């Protein structure tokens, strides 16, 4: 009998299904898992890893990212792989690098991914080719953003698209799905997307559905009208016959704190009739562009970057305003274009959302920010270490399911998200007693603790003492 390539001995194996972990041995051959057995069944091989006292889980799937450009520019992907992430879903909130180019600075929120030099991909095939050429350390599943489609096909994005423009967007959908995209996203909250009505969204979404795509949405409103937005989301997805993911679900603004008691039953009820899921990050602050409509004295606001005042990254908006002797809105105007972190959520809501059976974990990290929200570096170890181990909000196997088996199913990531014979060997070996986030709002660029080794497609890609040692990620999802 042939010996396997690598055997992990005595690991506490979390299989990704949400089942309780069992101690056993796991063998890899090439890029796949070859066997999962009780101790002593698998024959010795040359590369034996003593995993006693450690947990072995499927590599984490970051269900919500804006990593479209960073996977090309900094393909080691240290902020993510150092957390045990092996797959990132890019193209969220209507924002994607393909299929659009710009001759001047892109409008917000497209500028979250960079300036016009970042946008070099007039079609998805060109983006997929760039990924292949670079080979990032993590796998990439790609959504196509509605703002990108609108900016690629419309002169005046302050209007609803004409039937001819919708048809052009649909042709982009055909092209993207043919080259391995996973689906569609909207950011109806954003100026580049908000003029699209339900009809425009569902017509484009239906075209993605025809190719087996999925739909993720940053809803029109996460404040007072959050229930209306949920109803719009479910109607639109049902009309398009497409599975839907509500992005970074929250009830924002102090007036809406506690309202996840209304929103979650609404979403979970809808999920009984139509495939509905949500993603959530484990923090009570959000982050996006600095926007006049989000500037308020009701909650603290921190600057994450500013083009005219880069020195203000990391500072509180109120302290900047005090220093400049002006009000918050005037300070925000002077900082613009800029990014900000808004402490606009209630911790109990965050926990309630994370605990929902339809909730997946997504970092929503913004990798180009100077002083990013700590979710970029800390999301996954925080859910496991803080919320599961320390607070016992749910079991560790449930936490892991929300970042492995569940998103693999929702995004159609074939043979991923599970530790089972035949699956791709995307794996994370971690210390279940030590895993925890270290990134904070004051010091956000900190790797997490407790992640020992990360494998991507069978390759050892990250080791605690050596950092990123290989890159073997690929385009996943869709027809891949
Ligand atoms: Zn968003």
């Amino acid at each position: 009998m042939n010996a396997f390539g690598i055997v992990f001995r005595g690991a506490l194996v979390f299989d990704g299904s949400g089942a309780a972990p069992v101690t056993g041995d796991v063998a890899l051959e090439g890029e796949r898992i070859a066997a999962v057995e009780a101790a002593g069944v698998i024959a010795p091989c040359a590369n034996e890893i003593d995993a006693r006292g450690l947990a072995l889980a499927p590599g984490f799937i970051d269900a919500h990212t804006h990593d479209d450009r960073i996977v090309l520019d900094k393909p080691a992907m240290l902020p993510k792989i150092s957390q045990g992430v092996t797959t990132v879903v890019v193209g969220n909130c209507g924002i994607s690098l393909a299929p659009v180019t710009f001759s001047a600075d892109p409008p917000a929120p497209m500028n979250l991914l960079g300036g016009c030099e970042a946008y070099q991909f007039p079609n998805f095939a060109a983006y997929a080719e760039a990924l292949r050429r670079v080979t990032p350390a993590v796998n990439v599943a790609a959504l196509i953003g509605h703002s990108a489609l609108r900016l690629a096909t419309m002169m005046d994005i302050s209007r609803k698209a004409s039937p001819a423009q919708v048809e052009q967007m649909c042709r982009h959908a055909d092209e993207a799905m043919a080259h391995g995209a996973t689906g569609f996203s909207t950011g109806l909250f954003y100026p580049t997307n908000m003029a699209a009505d339900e009809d425009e969204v569902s017509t484009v979404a239906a075209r993605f559905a025809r190719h087996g795509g999925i739909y993720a949405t940053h809803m029109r409103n996460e404040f007072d009208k959050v229930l209306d937005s949920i109803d719009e989301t479910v109607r639109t997805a049902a009309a398009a016959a497409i599975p839907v993911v509500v992005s970074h679900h929250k009830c924002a603004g102090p007036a809406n704190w506690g309202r996840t008691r209304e929103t979650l039953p609404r979403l979970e009820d809808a999920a009984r009739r139509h495939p509905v899921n949500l993603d959530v990050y484990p923090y009570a602050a959000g982050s996006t562009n600095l926007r006049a409509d989000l500037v308020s004295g009701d909650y603290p606001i921190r600057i994450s970057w500013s083009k005219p005042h880069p020195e203000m990254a990391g500072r509180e908006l109120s302290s900047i305003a005090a220093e400049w002797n002006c009000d918050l809105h005037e300070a925000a105007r002077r900082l613009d274009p800029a990014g900000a972190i808004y402490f606009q959520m209630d911790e109990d809501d965050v926990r309630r959302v994370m605990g929902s059976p339809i909730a997946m974990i997504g970092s929503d990290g913004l990798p180009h920010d100077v002083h990013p929200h700590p979710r970029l570096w800390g999301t996954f170890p925080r859910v496991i270490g803080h919320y599961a181990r320390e607070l016992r909000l749910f079991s560790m196997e449930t936490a892991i399911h929300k970042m492995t088996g569940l998103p693999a199913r929702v995004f159609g990531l074939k043979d991923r998200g599970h530790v089972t014979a035949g699956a791709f060997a995307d794996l994370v070996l971690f210390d279940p007693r030590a895993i925890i986030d270290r990134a904070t709002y004051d010091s956000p660029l900190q790797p997490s603790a407790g992640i020992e080794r990360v494998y991507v497609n069978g390759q050892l890609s990250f080791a605690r003492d050596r950092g990123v040692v290989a890159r073997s990620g690929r385009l996943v999802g869709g027809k891949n």
Side-chain angles (χ1 to χ4, degrees), residues 64 66 92-95 112 186-187 189-190 217-219 222 247-248 250 279 281 287-288 364 366 375:
H64 187 112
H66 297 286
N92 278 283
C93 303
I95 308 161
L112 291 174
T186 59
F189 165 71
Y190 289 112
T217 179
H218 177 158
M219 300 191 300
E222 296 175 312
S247 297
H248 43 59
K250 66 174 76 68
D279 64 68
Y281 46 83
S287 185
T288 183
D364 201 8
L366 297 172
R375 65 195 183 183

